[in-house]
Amino acid sequence: MPAWPPAGSGPSPVEGPSRLAGAPWATVRDRLRARGLRWTPQRRELIDVLAASTGHVTGSELVERCRAVDPATVPSTVYRTLHVLEALGLVSHSHGHDGREEFHVLPEVDHGHLHCTRCRRTWELPAGEAALLTAALREARGFAVDLSHLSVGGLCADCRAQLAALGSAGLALE
Amino acid sequence: MPAWPPAGSGPSPVEGPSRLAGAPWATVRDRLRARGLRWTPQRRELIDVLAASTGHVTGSELVERCRAVDPATVPSTVYRTLHVLEALGLVSHSHGHDGREEFHVLPEVDHGHLHCTRCRRTWELPAGEAALLTAALREARGFAVDLSHLSVGGLCADCRAQLAALGSAGLALE
DNA sequence: GTCGCTATTGCAACGAGCTGCGATAACGCG
DNA sequence: CGCGTTATCGCAGCTCGTTGCAATAGCGAC
């Protein structure tokens, strides 16, 4: 793993809106400052890592990736920064099947999660598919569903097929 | 808290092929043995505690209650026993809003959970209310929803009302 | 009763994540 | 450019839960 150029030494690769097209990361610094928050090297590192990530990442994965960039990285700082970024709307988090934190980079689209309790895979559940539920809950209880906190567990089609194939042979525990 | 009558003392209520009506705990010992598992004092303690519990309990709450009965209780044993009991279908667990484990004593009725991300209260979501979602997912994806792993987050009616009352004054973080 | 097999225990260490605290360093201002 | 304010850092320690391992103890068989 190539060491990154020491922060601040030498001209860093184009820091324009070039590759950041569609990436709000470029504006994070100003967004932080506008709130009286600060732009620190540690935060910059995490944001670099986030900008290179997509989809779901667990907190510890992010810690590891940061450590790859800067071995001096400390977990608490990463977690704290993640919470700050969440307040800015740049990431969101939910709890995976095992209760571990999963961060969601750039939650452009509001969606829930579907995960198979057998194969542990996860899918995104777009608002459309949950619409009936959210509408029903709003009407019946006045409850406003937050899709990012909607998590549905169960058996995916593949696993159901596999179990069916196994037939009644095994009352398998697992 | 009253000490429980020693197990096995006195005639236990009907224990037939009928229903484990109300007290499946009485049969736990035999169910364990039937599987080649063992009946130990530690397990008995946890089962006493469970029998005295209803609804949702977190793992650490159970550990505490066990420790109240027997200070020598060790967490790993409690957690391991809980997982064994889950395999027997006597408890089920899910992950709460904060990712912590919540155990569910005697999950007679299959249901999901609804929790408010603001006031942190939790409600049960009966199968009926989720039926539309589960049906839709089964048809569209062949996904079989496990209600005990269905968790819906959002704002409850009370909190929505409170927020509305606060008006546009606060762009509250929380 | 006691013997042996092995499930279970308790311990210690670990992993994820959070938190309080003193020290550091961003950043706005002059 | 230097100063003061205060957000942030790094550390140490804590909580919840899991895991590997050696020692213990259920329990079925003799």
Side-chain angles (χ1 to χ4, degrees), chain B residues 36-38 40 42-43 72 74 76-77 80-81:
Chain B
L37 305 178
R38 291 172 189 173
T40 67
Q42 296 85 341
R43 288 186 175 173
V74 120
S76 57
T77 298
R80 281 191 282 225
T81 301

Side-chain angles (χ1 to χ4, degrees), chain A residues 23-43:
Chain A
W25 304 119
T27 73
V28 177
R29 175 188 157 143
D30 298 319
R31 300 230 261 147
L32 284 170
R33 289 231 264 248
R35 285 207 182 197
L37 306 176
R38 291 172 189 173
W39 181 246
T40 67
Q42 295 85 343
R43 289 186 174 174

Side-chain angles (χ1 to χ4, degrees), chain A residues 56-161:
Chain A
H56 311 87
V57 219
T58 67
S60 59
E61 270 168 4
L62 289 172
V63 171
E64 270 178 53
R65 293 186 197 174
C66 282
R67 241 200 263 273
V69 173
D70 173 7
T73 304
V74 124
S76 57
T77 298
V78 173
Y79 288 111
R80 281 193 281 226
T81 301
L82 282 169
H83 293 318
V84 169
L85 294 179
E86 186 162 22
L88 291 186
L90 293 166
V91 300
S92 66
H93 86 283
S94 51
H95 293 278
H97 46 78
D98 53 357
R100 225 163 264 170
E101 277 194 321
E102 290 207 335
F103 287 89
H104 230 231
V105 179
L106 289 180
E108 330 74 42
V109 184
D110 216 17
H111 63 265
H113 292 105
L114 211 57
H115 53 254
C116 177
T117 49
R118 186 158 172 272
C119 64
R120 315 240 133 175
R121 278 183 298 173
T122 302
W123 295 266
E124 297 196 350
L125 180 67
E129 283 183 70
L132 288 173
L133 177 71
T134 59
L137 288 177
R138 188 182 305 262
E139 281 172 34
R141 308 187 178 230
F143 190 95
V145 173
D146 171 4
L147 278 180
S148 70
H149 285 350
L150 173 61
S151 138
V152 184
L155 279 180
C156 68
D158 290 352
C159 285
R160 287 219 294 155

Side-chain angles (χ1 to χ4, degrees), chain B residues 41-64:
Chain B
Q42 296 85 341
R43 288 186 175 173
R44 186 184 162 346
E45 272 164 21
L46 174 57
I47 282 166
D48 283 349
V49 167
L50 285 172
S53 308
T54 56
H56 312 87
V57 219
T58 67
S60 59
E61 270 168 3
L62 289 171
V63 171
E64 269 179 54

Side-chain angles (χ1 to χ4, degrees), chain B residues 47-108:
Chain B
I47 282 166
D48 283 349
V49 167
L50 285 172
S53 308
T54 56
H56 312 87
V57 219
T58 67
S60 59
E61 270 168 3
L62 289 171
V63 171
E64 269 179 54
R65 293 186 197 173
C66 283
R67 242 201 262 273
V69 174
D70 174 6
T73 304
V74 120
S76 57
T77 298
V78 173
Y79 287 111
R80 281 191 282 225
T81 301
L82 282 168
H83 293 317
V84 169
L85 294 179
E86 186 162 20
L88 292 187
L90 293 166
V91 301
S92 67
H93 86 283
S94 52
H95 293 278
H97 46 79
D98 54 355
R100 225 163 265 170
E101 276 193 322
E102 290 207 335
F103 287 88
H104 229 234
V105 179
L106 289 180
E108 331 73 44

